Amino acid sequence: MASSSDTSITLIAKSAKAAFEQSQLIPSTARIDALAQITIQLEANKHDILAANRLDLDAAQAEVDAGRMSSSLLKRLDLTSSPDKWDAMIQGVKDVAALPDPTGVVNYAKQLDDGLDLYRVSCPIGVLLVIFEARPEVVVNIAALAIKSGNAAILKGGKESTHSVTLLSRVISTALSSTTLPSILIQSIRTRADVSALLTLDQYIDLVIPRGSNSLVRNIQNSTRIPVMGHADGLCSVYLDESANLEKALRVILDSKTNYPAACNSAETLIIHTSVLQNIWPKVATALLDASVELLCDAPSLSALQTLSPAPSNLNTRVRLAPQDAYDTEHLTLTLSVLTVTSLQSAIVHINEHGSHHTETIVTESSDAASAFCRGVDSAGAFVNASTRFADGFRYGFGTEVGISTGRIHARGPVGLEGLVSYKYVMKSVGDGGHIVGEFGTGGKKYKHTNIGATSVPFL
Amino acid sequence: MASSSDTSITLIAKSAKAAFEQSQLIPSTARIDALAQITIQLEANKHDILAANRLDLDAAQAEVDAGRMSSSLLKRLDLTSSPDKWDAMIQGVKDVAALPDPTGVVNYAKQLDDGLDLYRVSCPIGVLLVIFEARPEVVVNIAALAIKSGNAAILKGGKESTHSVTLLSRVISTALSSTTLPSILIQSIRTRADVSALLTLDQYIDLVIPRGSNSLVRNIQNSTRIPVMGHADGLCSVYLDESANLEKALRVILDSKTNYPAACNSAETLIIHTSVLQNIWPKVATALLDASVELLCDAPSLSALQTLSPAPSNLNTRVRLAPQDAYDTEHLTLTLSVLTVTSLQSAIVHINEHGSHHTETIVTESSDAASAFCRGVDSAGAFVNASTRFADGFRYGFGTEVGISTGRIHARGPVGLEGLVSYKYVMKSVGDGGHIVGEFGTGGKKYKHTNIGATSVPFL
C-alpha cells in the first residue's frame, strides 16, 4: 500500500512539473482566459459545490456537537456563512485576473558586447505545494494566484473541508481543460501522508507554502529540503516613546490591539518608556480596559495603575502581573503584555529578541527616535505613529496577498504576486559567429555592461 | 565537553546576531571605512599571514607526499601560487568597496493616505554562515561582501587552510575594531561539529551559503531549517538546432566545453538535432577531438562518426558509446556527453529532466526556435548562439559574485551583492492623530496607493 501510494504521489508531482514546463510555451494571455473560465465553471457548478460544502458542514456539526471542534472553525468552513461570501470568492478571481502580469518583466538588462544583450526577466517559480486549513474558498484564491503567476500548484486543504476542496479543485481542472493550459496545472491531495511524500520530492516541487499554525510551518521546515515560505508567529509590538503624543498613542495602540485581535498583525506587546508611565500610560490603560482588553503588566506598569486615584474600573479583574512567558506569547485575543523600558535601545533589543520579526510601531514625536527605531528593529515592517494592522498586502497596494512572510529570504512581510515569481537570464547573440568568452580578457575584448532600457525581452 | 562546545557555539551565533543588530544603527559609510582598514591591516600583516599559510602548505605537502591530497588542492591553498594572487586579493576588497551600496535602496513606495507613506527598502539579511573549501583568500572575499552589504558573517574554511583562515579572520576583526562597526561582525569557526551546532540555531543564523561540492550542499540542506543558498550541480547543455550555423556551432561548443572545463558553467552535454548529424556534427566532433575532448555518444551520433571517410583521428581512443549515467554526469573535465533528438521539444524535455537548471544555450538561426528554447528551458540562464561560460557575475556586470544559485527562491543564477540583501517596509504617519486602519473601509477612507518617486527613504 505505502509503495503504491508513493508511486501515485510521485506521479502527481511529476505531472505537475511536466504541466508547468509545458505551460511555459503558451502565451501568458491564456492565463487570463483560464481565470475567466474558472469563474464561469464555479457559477455553473455552484449548486453541487454548496452541496459538497454541506457534507463537510454536516460532518463538522457532529464534531462540534461532540465537543471536538470549535464553532468558529465550523463557521470558517461554511461557504454560505455570510450572504456575500460566494460572490466575494468569484470577485477575488476576477480581481487577480485584472492584476498586472508578474511574469515577463525585465528588471536588469545590459549589453555585454556589440550584438550581445542580457536580460533578467521575471518568470514563474515552478510547482508550488500549498497547505492550508479550514476555509475551502482558499483553494480558489490560491489556484487563481498560481495560474496568474504561471505556476503549477498542488493543494492540500484541511481534512474538515475535503468534500468542498476536492470538488472546487475538480471544477478548476474542468475550467482549465477548456483552455490551452494543461488541466493538471492545479491538483489537490487529501492526506498528511501525501504531504509527507511530496516534501521529499525536491526534484519536482519548488516551493512549499504552508498557511496555518506555527507548528505546521515548523514541522514542514524540519522535514524538507524544499524552500518553505510561510509565516510562523505574528508577535507585533507597539513602543510608546518618551516623546509620544497622547492622542496618537491612544489611537494607534487601540487600533493595533482591538481592530482584529485574531490577526497576525495585531499588537501583542506594549512597551512603555518609563518617562510616560505616569502621564500617558494610565490614559492608555483606561482606554484599553474600556475596550475589554486584559493587561499583563510588569511591576512598574502595574504599580503606575495601582497608585492611581480613582483606580481604573476593571483594575482587579482585567489587570495582572505578567507571567514569565507573556512577552513570548502571541495572544490573538484581547490580551496585551505590557513592559517598561528605560530607553529606546532597550525597546529595540527586547523586540528583536522576543518579537517574531513581523511588524512593530513606535509612537513618537522625535524624528531621531523614529529613524533609530525603523533602522534598529529587525522586522518586516517598522512603522511610526501608525497601527501595526497596516501590515497587509491589500493595504500595501499589492491587490492580493499570498501570505505574510516573517522570513527574510525571497519575500518578506506581506507577499503579493511578486512572491510567486523568480527570474531567469536570457541572452541572444546577434551577428556573425556567435559570442564566446575566449575572446574577452587580457589582450582581448572588454565587457561593455551598457544599460539597456527595456521592460520586456524583445526576442521572447 | 559537548555541552561546553555547544555553549560556546551558541555564544558565537548570539554575538553575531547582536553585532548585526547593533551595526544597523551605524551609517553605512562606516562599511567603506572598514573595507579600507581591512586592506591596510592585511598589508601590515602580510608577513605573518604568509607564514601561517606556509604552515598549512607544509601540512598539505605531507598529505600530497602520502598520496592523500591532490597537488591541485595544494596549489589552491597557496596564497603565493601566482605572483599577483596576494595583490588580487587586496584589489578584490577595494573593488567591493567601490560598488554601489546594495542597502537603503527603495524599490516600492506608495502613499497609502494623506500623510502616510510606505517604502520598501533594501536591507541586510542578518547573520550569514558561509562554508567554503580550500582557497583561503575566499575568507577575505566573503568578509568584504558581507561587510559591504551590512551583514554579519561566521566563516568556516576547509580544514587544510585552518592556519591561514584563522589568521585572516583575526586580522579582519582587528581592522574592524579600529572602526565604529563591531569587530565581531566577522567570526570564524574551525570544525564540522561547530557547523552542525550552528545549523540548529535558526534564531540567530539567517542564511547558510555553502560553497563547495554537491554533497556538501545537499548535506546542509538536509540538516537545517535555515534557508540555504548554494549551487549544487552545474550540468549545462548546448543544443544544436536544425537551423544551426556551422561557424557559430563550432565556436560556441568549443568555448562552452574547453574554455575552462572545471567551471560549473562549462557544457557537459551536447544535444544534436538529427537533421544536422551528417553535415554539422562531424565537423564539430573533429574540432572537439582536436581539442582533446573525449566524446560519450549515443548510437546515432556515434554512427555518424563511424561512417565518415576518412574517419576522424582519435575516433577509436576518444569516442565511445555513452554509458547509462552519461547524461546525468557533471564531468568537469574534457569529456562531453552527446545525445541526438528529433525535435527542439525533445531537447527541452531532456534538459529540464537531466540538467541542473544552471545554463543552457541553443545554436540556431531560427528566432522561433530561440524564443521557444529560452521560454521552455527551466534554467537560470538560457542563451542563443552564446557560450554557456558567460553565466558569471562579473561577465553579467555585477562587479562581484557571491556564487551561482541553481535554486529559484531569493536568488537565481550568478548572484551579486543583491543576493545578500533582503528588504523591509517602513512607514511614517505625518500630521495629527497617527494613522489607524479602523478609519478605512466601508463608509470610511479609501487607500490611495499613489506611487512615490523616491530612491531612498527620506526619514531614515
Side-chain angles (χ1 to χ4, degrees), chain B residues 45 48-50 52 162-172:
Chain B
N45 290 276
D48 289 352
I49 292 166
L50 294 184
T162 295
H163 293 97
S164 316
V165 167
T166 304
L167 184 53
L168 284 168
S169 177
R170 201 182 309 143
V171 167
I172 290 166

Side-chain angles (χ1 to χ4, degrees), chain B residues 293-361:
Chain B
V293 175
E294 180 192 39
L295 302 174
L296 307 181
C297 297
D298 66 349
S301 60
L302 182 61
S303 162
L305 301 184
Q306 285 168 334
T307 54
L308 282 181
S309 168
S313 64
N314 299 322
L315 178 64
N316 294 324
T317 55
R318 295 202 161 272
V319 184
R320 59 191 173 94
L321 198 62
Q324 189 87 38
D325 62 352
Y327 306 106
D328 300 302
T329 302
E330 185 181 7
H331 304 295
L332 295 173
T333 57
L334 284 174
T335 297
L336 185 66
S337 309
V338 183
L339 180 78
T340 312
V341 294
T342 54
S343 69
L344 167 61
Q345 188 53 40
S346 301
I348 292 173
V349 168
H350 176 88
I351 287 170
N352 288 344
E353 188 173 342
H354 296 273
S356 67
H357 311 286
H358 188 299
T359 303
E360 332 294 336
T361 199

Side-chain angles (χ1 to χ4, degrees), chain B residues 111-123:
Chain B
Q111 184 175 57
L112 303 195
D113 189 20
D114 290 330
L116 189 66
D117 293 351
L118 173 77
Y119 299 87
R120 179 165 69 198
V121 56
S122 65
C123 65

Side-chain angles (χ1 to χ4, degrees), chain B residues 178-430:
Chain B
S178 70
T179 73
T180 52
L181 289 172
S183 63
I184 214 157
L185 265 186
I186 305 294
Q187 299 178 79
S188 71
I189 54 171
R190 294 192 186 203
T191 69
R192 286 190 188 186
D194 291 346
V195 171
S196 298
L198 286 176
L199 290 177
T200 66
L201 301 176
D202 64 324
Q203 69 271 49
Y204 303 123
I205 313 286
D206 299 297
L207 182 65
V208 184
I209 307 179
R211 291 171 56 142
S213 68
N214 208 356
S215 65
L216 172 75
V217 175
R218 287 183 79 86
N219 280 341
I220 286 170
Q221 286 172 324
N222 280 335
S223 51
T224 187
R225 204 161 41 214
I226 306 170
V228 177
M229 182 168 75
H231 78 256
D233 300 284
L235 206 167
C236 303
S237 300
V238 177
Y239 169 59
L240 210 48
D241 185 47
E242 51 186 326
S243 75
N245 167 282
L246 172 63
E247 188 198 352
K248 293 180 187 177
L250 286 168
R251 282 165 47 86
V252 169
I253 294 167
L254 264 286
D255 192 82
S256 297
K257 181 67 240 179
T258 67
N259 180 260
Y260 185 13
C264 65
N265 56 12
S266 291
E268 307 294 1
T269 299
L270 173 63
I271 304 171
I272 306 172
H273 192 280
T274 45
S275 67
V276 296
L277 264 187
Q278 305 305 327
N279 50 358
I280 296 183
W281 164 233
K283 299 188 178 69
V284 166
T286 303
L288 286 165
L289 291 168
D290 288 348
S292 301
V293 175
E294 180 192 39
L295 302 174
L296 307 181
C297 297
D298 66 349
S301 60
L302 182 61
S303 162
L305 301 184
Q306 285 168 334
T307 54
L308 282 181
S309 168
S313 64
N314 299 322
L315 178 64
N316 294 324
T317 55
R318 295 202 161 272
V319 184
R320 59 191 173 94
L321 198 62
Q324 189 87 38
D325 62 352
Y327 306 106
D328 300 302
T329 302
E330 185 181 7
H331 304 295
L332 295 173
T333 57
L334 284 174
T335 297
L336 185 66
S337 309
V338 183
L339 180 78
T340 312
V341 294
T342 54
S343 69
L344 167 61
Q345 188 53 40
S346 301
I348 292 173
V349 168
H350 176 88
I351 287 170
N352 288 344
E353 188 173 342
H354 296 273
S356 67
H357 311 286
H358 188 299
T359 303
E360 332 294 336
T361 199
I362 182 174
V363 182
T364 187
E365 296 301 299
S366 154
S367 55
D368 284 351
S371 171
F373 184 84
C374 289
R375 295 168 65 102
V377 153
D378 185 25
S379 296
F383 300 164
V384 183
N385 295 327
S387 169
T388 56
R389 292 271 298 134
F390 281 106
D392 172 283
F394 292 95
R395 291 173 187 147
Y396 278 8
F398 302 160
T400 189
E401 186 177 278
V402 174
I404 297 187
S405 168
T406 51
R408 54 198 79 195
I409 304 302
H410 187 67
R412 192 181 198 191
V415 182
L417 276 176
E418 284 183 324
L420 297 185
V421 299
S422 178
Y423 55 76
K424 69 199 295 188
Y425 290 89
V426 296
M427 188 165 72
K428 189 172 183 173
S429 161
V430 176

